Amino acid sequence: MNDVILSRIAEALTWTGRYVERADATGRILDAYLHRLLEDPWRDEDAACRSLYAILGVDAPDQHCDMQQVLDQLAFDARSTGAIEGALGAARLNARSAREAVSSEMWECLNSTWHALADQRTAARRTGGPYAYLELVRQRAALFFGLADSTMSRDDSWRFVVLGRSLERVDMTVRLLSVRVLDAPHAPDWPTLLSASGADEAYARVHGGFGDSPKVAEFLLLDRDFPRSALHALTTAEECLAALGRPRQDPARRPIGALRTHLEYLDSESLEAGLPTLLRDLQQACMASAEAVAEKFFPYQGPVEWAQEGA
Amino acid sequence: MADIFDAYALADAWDEMFERPGEVRTAYEPVLAALQPIEPTELRFRADQMARAFTDRGVTYAFAGEERPWPLDLVPRILDALEWDLIQRGVAQRVRALEAYLADAYGPCRAFEDGVVPWRLLLNSAHFHRAAHGVEPPGGVRIHVAGIDLVRDEAGDFRVLEDNVRVPSGVSYVIENRRAMTRVFPSLFAEQHVVPVDGYAQKLLAALRAAAPGGIGDPRVVVLTPGPSNAAYFEHALLARLMGVQLVEGHDLVCRGNRVWMRTTRGEMPVHVVYRRLDDDFLDPLHFRPDSVIGCPGIMGAALAGNVTLANAVGNGIADDKLLYTYVPDLIRYYLGEEPILPNVESFRPDEPGQLEAVLDQIDQLVIKPVDGAGGQGIVIGPKADRETLERTREAVLADPRGWIAQRPVALSTSPTLAGERMAPRHIDLRPFAVNDGDEVWVLPGGLTRVALQEGNLIVNSSQGGGSKDTWVLAEGPAEQRYEEARGTLPEKAPRQLGPDGGRTVVQEGAQQ
């Protein structure tokens, strides 16, 4: 009898998936940058920080910026859903409002993560290193999606979680690549980029070596088998939409389906030549799709305001 | 060795664990034997672990605007089979009488005609809703869920303190308390024959489905919550999840043509039974409070048209009015032709001629309660109140005798409770939960035992900083027998398949014997 889900719940599930993925990806990116910065004898902290702000779409401060500032803004800020803590807090609230739709284990995972973050944040401030904090975020994100996979039926509820995760994943991968491609002065090097996507080992296995070439862009966009590649994430999102009953001519499915097909047949040369355009298209397709999903599936209005009669 | 019961001094009340100092009651022997050797620090450690687990799992409640872990004390409250039998029959009887009263008050009004209950009791009640008059609910059930608060007096007798037949809450904590206790004291639990409490959700779902409007083959049940900011949201979500039904907020529902629909990703779906966890006043801005934004406009119309069942029914408040409480023993005799199994606490009705003066004269010796108070609010305990409070209360009662009842103070029974690193007696009460499916009133074995955590305090509500205890109802008969019966159904064991062992073959010499 629980064959359908409330629009409000579907929306909450989608955003739960998105926010957890965002926290995970942000954590990976911060970790890769910090690591790089510490190991690099010629480090330029200010440039690295600016590059991080650019990736995550946050306005950089005018003055010199340092890593502590970046962490405060991109990791520890509980008020911004662009920061890890804000994203996990929002994921927790969304899951909380959908508590009969997510499994208890998923909710408990987010809730205990939220409570554990405070301790790790204090520890990060004391020791000057956020590694344990970032590791916690990565582990809990993996646990959360693992629990989603192992405790939820493959019904629409699960599809909305996966859809949210997939759209966010494309978005984060594209952001990462955009900085390399569009904003060269602040750009991270290719190995940092790979490890920020959690893809260094997978890439090494497929291509050998450590990713010091534009082949990295190809891997992160076109690899069919790597789950964080744009192609893989788009395919997953499209499968979810198809199963949610969206026909091919659907405004939610069409933009990502079109790009997915485009990516499937793209060769290396055209990829390199058209990379800036492609990245922009990808980002726009994800946004258009997310908006169409919201319009179609979450048409509910917020609480109705009732004017007091005779007041 | 330090003994956590060293400083345990019995209060001037019935103690659940000790008959006399050092003399433990039979049912508590295994618990005492298990607890006594535990070091205070170890006990504190386990209590902290439990609080941590509650926080992680979101089993919390709001206290003074703060999210706190649910306060569960480590010492269980135990009811033996005989005690439970009495409580269960008494609670079910009470619910049947209140059902009869509601059917009567919203129907023929016989009890008023016959002078059992005065008319003014009904007509002056703030909870009497004309909208509910003449509505015949499916199966005749208006009280689908009831929570009847009991206390144990100085003589050890259980007495009814009040009836809750609107939206009684707390059952989720019964389920969570049990879960937590089996983890903290697994061995102790294994030795006892405690009746399980996990059948509640099934019973509730069956009752709700049975309450569906006629002619619906496969009724859709939902739980209606005010939302995550409500103090009992945890409970609403748990019940919805355990029953496998949707947890909806008012704006997830839409009413059209006197029917109720919910907005889903596959369009609007009909709803037949709403287990609503918000008060009448907030249910439907068209009928009740127009400024409420948490209800669903039109849902009352759909209920009146018989297209949706609201559980519990609208207007039940007239049956848990504290003034009506004083008439319940008479109602049991009148409607059921039975003697009350559980007595009331001795009460006075200030609005009755002669009683007002009596109440005002001895106001410093009585407990004064507003008739529509909830959660322990507004209660004045005469013997403990200062002169100014008493004077204020006297004026309030004088100004509105219908708004108050007075009761003889009962020294609620005490139970050993962890206070710091020692056991101390604390006052407790008990809220058993009853589910009525129209054929049977089923009482969940045990119920919520609440504890007044401050020494000498008599008010146990969690909204006033109270705690709780797991309530064990001991089963009759040996556990081994039931275990054997359960085991009989297990299938034969299949041999495990073994894969490659990664080359770490260990040769165990001389292992064959």
Side-chain angles (χ1 to χ4, degrees):
Chain A
M1 65 189 269
N2 223 349
D3 47 344
V4 293
I5 45 174
L6 294 169
S7 297
R8 175 176 56 82
I9 300 291
E11 185 170 23
L13 291 172
T14 310
W15 281 102
T16 307
R18 276 199 92 132
Y19 284 137
V20 175
E21 177 68 15
R22 184 176 296 173
D24 181 42
T26 308
R28 283 173 193 282
I29 291 170
L30 288 177
D31 204 23
Y33 264 75
L34 282 171
H35 187 70
R36 187 81 209 133
L37 208 55
L38 287 179
E39 288 202 335
D40 186 351
W42 300 280
R43 63 182 164 222
D44 178 350
E45 197 172 357
D46 186 64
C49 292
R50 283 179 193 285
S51 145
L52 267 174
Y53 282 120
I55 291 173
L56 297 170
V58 175
D59 289 332
D62 294 332
Q63 305 90 347
H64 178 85
C65 42
D66 61 24
M67 222 46 210
Q68 191 53 51
Q69 230 175 327
V70 170
L71 286 173
D72 283 341
Q73 245 180 300
L74 299 180
F76 305 145
D77 186 356
R79 288 157 308 170
S80 158
T81 51
I84 291 173
E85 208 139 324
L88 284 177
R92 170 177 176 262
L93 288 182
N94 273 286
R96 184 165 188 241
S97 73
R99 264 180 83 174
E100 97 294 3
V102 301
S103 67
S104 306
E105 287 175 80
M106 290 165 73
W107 151 251
E108 283 162 34
C109 166
L110 287 179
N111 193 43
S112 60
T113 304
W114 175 248
H115 288 295
L117 277 183
D119 289 348
Q120 289 297 348
R121 185 189 338 114
T122 316
R125 289 234 164 86
R126 211 169 40 225
T127 63
Y131 299 106
Y133 177 96
L134 296 174
E135 192 182 8
L136 175 79
V137 171
R138 276 202 310 275
Q139 284 176 349
R140 294 301 174 89
L143 179 62
F144 176 80
F145 287 122
L147 287 171
D149 280 348
S150 59
T151 60
M152 285 181 89
S153 282
R154 292 301 181 269
D155 56 11
D156 285 358
S157 299
W158 178 77
R159 289 187 192 105
F160 279 108
V161 175
V162 175
L163 177 67
R165 176 183 68 181
S166 306
L167 291 177
E168 186 71 20
R169 208 168 250 193
V170 178
D171 182 65
M172 287 305 263
T173 303
V174 168
R175 281 172 186 278
L176 205 51
L177 280 170
S178 298
V179 179
R180 175 76 221 173
V181 173
L182 306 174
D183 195 14
H186 294 150
D189 53 22
W190 292 111
T192 305
L193 226 138
L194 269 181
S195 69
S197 302
D200 37 3
E201 292 177 9
Y203 178 89
R205 214 162 5 254
V206 173
H207 291 287
F210 300 99
D212 47 5
S213 76
K215 270 225 166 304
V216 171
E218 192 180 327
F219 184 79
L220 289 180
L221 287 175
L222 302 186
D223 193 87
R224 227 173 280 275
D225 301 325
F226 182 64
R228 279 175 201 281
S229 81
L231 178 59
H232 194 283
L234 281 178
T235 309
T236 309
E238 207 192 344
E239 282 166 3
C240 288
L241 285 169
L244 286 168
R246 310 307 302 143
R248 239 166 285 168
Q249 282 310 311
D250 165 63
R253 196 176 155 190
R254 196 174 49 220
I256 57 178
L259 264 179
R260 196 258 308 150
T261 327
H262 179 58
L263 291 183
E264 297 240 29
Y265 297 100
L266 203 58
D267 59 53
S268 305
E269 281 113 67
S270 339
L271 175 72
E272 224 183 311
L275 198 49
T277 328
L278 180 65
L279 292 173
R280 202 169 44 240
D281 289 351
L282 271 166
Q283 207 142 32
Q284 277 167 2
C286 285
M287 276 167 67
S289 177
E291 274 166 24
V293 165
E295 201 171 311
K296 168 67 197 169
F297 291 115
F298 322 140
Y300 92 100
Q301 301 100 24
V304 186
E305 299 283 338
W306 288 86
Q308 178 130 29
E309 284 170 51
Chain B
M1 195 176 77
D3 185 335
I4 46 175
F5 285 95
D6 272 352
Y8 195 82
L10 292 182
D12 205 7
W14 175 276
D15 191 81
E16 299 284 339
M17 191 184 270
F18 295 100
E19 206 156 335
R20 268 178 288 279
E23 203 174 308
V24 65
R25 295 182 200 278
T26 322
Y28 278 89
E29 278 168 4
V31 173
L32 184 65
L35 285 173
Q36 209 154 22
I38 300 180
E39 286 288 328
T41 46
E42 168 65 18
L43 215 53
R44 187 37 64 196
F45 173 75
R46 290 197 199 186
D48 291 344
Q49 289 286 98
M50 200 160 65
R52 180 65 188 250
F54 277 147
T55 303
D56 280 351
R57 305 201 13 257
V59 185
T60 55
Y61 74 107
F63 181 72
E66 195 186 311
E67 198 178 328
R68 292 205 187 162
W70 173 250
L72 168 59
D73 183 66
L74 291 174
V75 186
R77 190 259 185 90
I78 299 176
L79 298 165
D80 67 29
L82 272 178
E83 287 171 327
W84 178 246
D85 179 61
L86 181 82
I87 291 172
Q88 173 187 285
R89 286 188 293 116
V91 166
Q93 179 191 52
R94 194 109 179 158
V95 173
R96 282 186 285 122
L98 292 172
E99 277 283 14
Y101 173 71
L102 283 169
D104 193 16
Y106 286 114
C109 295
R110 281 197 301 123
F112 306 100
E113 300 285 356
D114 291 348
V116 182
V117 185
W119 274 105
R120 63 178 190 285
L121 192 70
L122 179 64
L123 302 176
N124 292 346
S125 173
H127 301 287
F128 179 70
H129 291 303
R130 280 172 209 289
H133 196 86
V135 177
E136 181 54 35
V141 180
R142 287 180 175 83
I143 304 171
H144 304 83
V145 179
I148 308 293
D149 290 349
L150 306 179
V151 297
R152 192 171 208 170
D153 64 17
E154 299 84 345
D157 292 327
F158 285 99
R159 289 176 179 271
V160 178
L161 190 63
E162 63 181 62
D163 307 289
N164 298 282
V165 296
R166 278 176 283 171
V167 279
S169 68
V171 72
S172 57
Y173 297 117
V174 176
I175 298 168
E176 286 297 331
N177 282 356
R178 180 60 50 82
R179 223 176 114 146
M181 284 298 281
T182 55
R183 278 161 179 69
V184 177
F185 292 116
S187 51
L188 173 60
F189 214 90
E191 290 160 12
Q192 301 290 307
H193 313 155
V194 182
V195 183
V197 294
D198 52 9
Y200 182 81
Q202 283 85 335
K203 287 280 185 187
L204 178 60
L205 182 62
L208 293 173
R209 285 172 68 89
I216 310 279
D218 185 17
R220 187 183 293 280
V221 177
V222 299
V223 177
L224 175 61
T225 174
S229 53
N230 184 273
Y233 180 73
F234 163 76
E235 173 156 312
H236 308 160
L238 181 80
L239 291 177
R241 201 168 57 239
L242 290 179
M243 290 193 288
V245 306
Q246 267 90 7
L247 177 66
V248 304
E249 296 174 16
H251 49 110
D252 293 321
L253 299 178
V254 56
C255 298
R256 207 177 305 107
N258 270 344
R259 287 178 192 278
V260 182
W261 309 80
M262 61 178 187
R263 297 185 169 103
T264 80
T265 55
R266 295 184 187 246
E268 291 173 357
M269 299 281 174
V271 170
H272 306 108
V273 182
V274 178
Y275 181 44
R276 46 90 173 218
R277 294 299 302 259
L278 36 109
D279 284 334
D280 291 356
D281 283 353
F282 300 96
L283 203 49
D284 185 341
L286 298 182
H287 262 84
F288 304 106
R289 291 179 58 150
D291 56 337
S292 162
V293 293
I294 53 177
C296 171
I299 199 168
M300 199 55 217
L304 288 176
N307 291 327
V308 71
T309 303
L310 298 176
N312 289 351
V314 166
N316 279 9
I318 59 165
D320 63 12
D321 180 317
K322 290 192 179 64
L323 184 52
L324 182 85
Y325 160 89
T326 63
Y327 291 93
V328 175
D330 294 336
L331 293 177
I332 291 173
R333 294 184 193 102
Y334 177 70
Y335 290 118
L336 308 179
E338 299 169 6
E339 274 305 303
I341 297 168
L342 296 170
N344 273 10
V345 173
E346 193 190 341
S347 307
F348 302 89
R349 304 164 186 150
D351 84 324
E352 229 164 63
Q355 294 210 8
L356 176 64
E357 293 71 26
V359 167
L360 293 179
D361 281 351
Q362 45 180 335
I363 198 161
D364 57 343
Q365 292 158 44
L366 297 173
V367 177
I368 316 291
K369 291 178 168 182
V371 292
D372 53 0
Q377 280 166 355
I379 295 180
V380 178
I381 297 173
K384 301 200 171 190
D386 56 34
R387 183 188 289 273
E388 196 187 328
T389 312
L390 284 177
E391 204 45 51
R392 235 189 4 252
T393 312
R394 190 194 302 269
E395 278 164 27
V397 175
L398 199 55
D400 176 23
R402 168 68 179 87
W404 300 84
I405 65 163
Q407 293 178 327
R408 285 251 174 254
V410 175
L412 313 189
S413 61
T414 55
S415 173
T417 302
L418 187 62
E421 293 194 340
R422 285 286 182 282
M423 289 297 165
R426 291 290 182 264
H427 294 296
I428 59 172
D429 79 346
L430 176 67
R431 174 178 287 185
F433 291 90
V435 174
N436 185 4
D437 65 6
D439 293 328
E440 185 208 359
V441 178
W442 175 80
V443 187
L444 174 69
L448 182 60
T449 293
R450 297 180 298 179
V451 190
L453 290 178
Q454 277 105 26
E455 194 175 354
N457 195 346
L458 291 171
I459 295 180
V460 294
N461 304 68
S462 63
S463 54
Q464 312 255 328
S468 77
K469 284 172 174 291
D470 190 18
T471 312
W472 295 4
V473 171
L474 300 185
E476 284 176 304
E480 295 76 21
Q481 189 186 331
R482 292 195 307 277
Y483 180 68
E484 287 300 323
E485 283 166 17
R487 265 193 78 189
T489 58
L490 287 179
E492 288 289 305
K493 273 188 191 159
R496 284 303 266 272
Q497 293 195 315
L498 301 172
D501 57 8
R504 283 172 308 219
T505 313
V506 178
V507 181
Q508 271 187 303
E509 287 175 35
Q512 288 151 329
Q513 286 180 358

